[in-house]
Amino acid sequence: MSETFPTRQSFATVLAARQCNAFGLYDDGHEELGLALFPAGSYFNHACESNVGRDVMIRCVDGREGEGGGLVERDALDGLVEAGDEDDGEARAILRAWDREPLMRFVAARDVRRGEELTLSYVDVAQGRDARRKSLKDVYYFDCECARCEREKET
């Protein structure tokens, strides 16, 4: 039985794809719990004034249908876990779902014109222009030239 190892190039390609397309999963204290790949999210380019937002969702995996077709928002999970005690089957089911099936929901953050590109912000937009651009260059390897960065360059 022969084992096949990836070439250096294919390994580097996979690492680069993960680096540039993974989304961080965070707890309420904003500590990163890990990374997840959501293929639909990889289609969005960056803008410091994005028109798309995202929410982590949880799919119930115990066969029950909840509101929204079995999807529970992350904030609702926190409330149920805090309110639930050890005998609370609903909280335990949701925790099992969080462990197994996080989902990403993309929603329009504002009205979007027909033909307008849908964009996400890859960095903390509360930062100043130089800090945002440095983060984008360091992590995603590009110089941001979005409308907001160009406008802030002039001031």
Side-chain angles (χ1 to χ4, degrees):
M1 178 173 147
S2 90
E3 293 186 36
T4 304
F5 293 98
T7 64
R8 285 181 189 218
Q9 180 61 42
S10 63
F11 187 71
T13 299
V14 169
L15 287 179
R18 188 212 52 90
Q19 174 71 26
C20 293
N21 292 294
F23 290 87
L25 298 175
Y26 298 89
D27 66 11
D28 291 336
H30 305 288
E31 184 169 333
E32 188 172 287
L33 302 172
L35 297 171
L37 292 172
F38 298 100
S42 67
Y43 292 104
F44 296 104
N45 285 322
H46 166 80
C48 292
E49 291 178 318
S50 63
N51 54 18
V52 173
R54 60 184 179 263
D55 293 319
V56 174
M57 304 291 287
I58 293 92
R59 181 181 301 280
C60 293
V61 294
D62 65 353
R64 291 178 303 117
E65 283 297 317
E67 290 183 35
L71 297 179
V72 180
E73 291 186 34
R74 177 73 171 110
D75 291 341
L77 168 69
D78 296 332
L80 285 169
V81 172
E82 290 170 9
D85 59 16
E86 290 182 9
D87 294 328
D88 188 343
E90 184 176 17
R92 285 197 312 276
I94 292 172
L95 279 174
R96 283 195 309 273
W98 175 246
D99 288 340
R100 295 181 184 150
E101 293 193 49
L103 304 171
M104 184 75 66
R105 176 178 67 172
F106 300 96
V107 295
R110 61 170 174 76
D111 290 340
V112 179
R113 295 182 316 273
R114 180 183 296 270
E116 180 181 358
E117 179 181 18
L118 299 177
T119 58
L120 286 173
S121 178
Y122 298 174
V123 296
D124 180 358
V125 296
Q127 296 177 317
R129 178 183 181 271
D130 292 341
R132 291 191 317 268
R133 288 176 53 96
K134 181 178 181 340
S135 293
L136 290 165
K137 186 69 165 183
D138 290 350
V139 176
Y140 298 100
Y141 310 105
F142 71 90
D143 294 311
C144 187
E145 297 177 1
C146 73
R148 179 178 174 190
C149 283
E150 291 301 305
R151 190 172 60 249
E152 290 176 2
K153 178 172 69 172
E154 298 169 5
T155 60

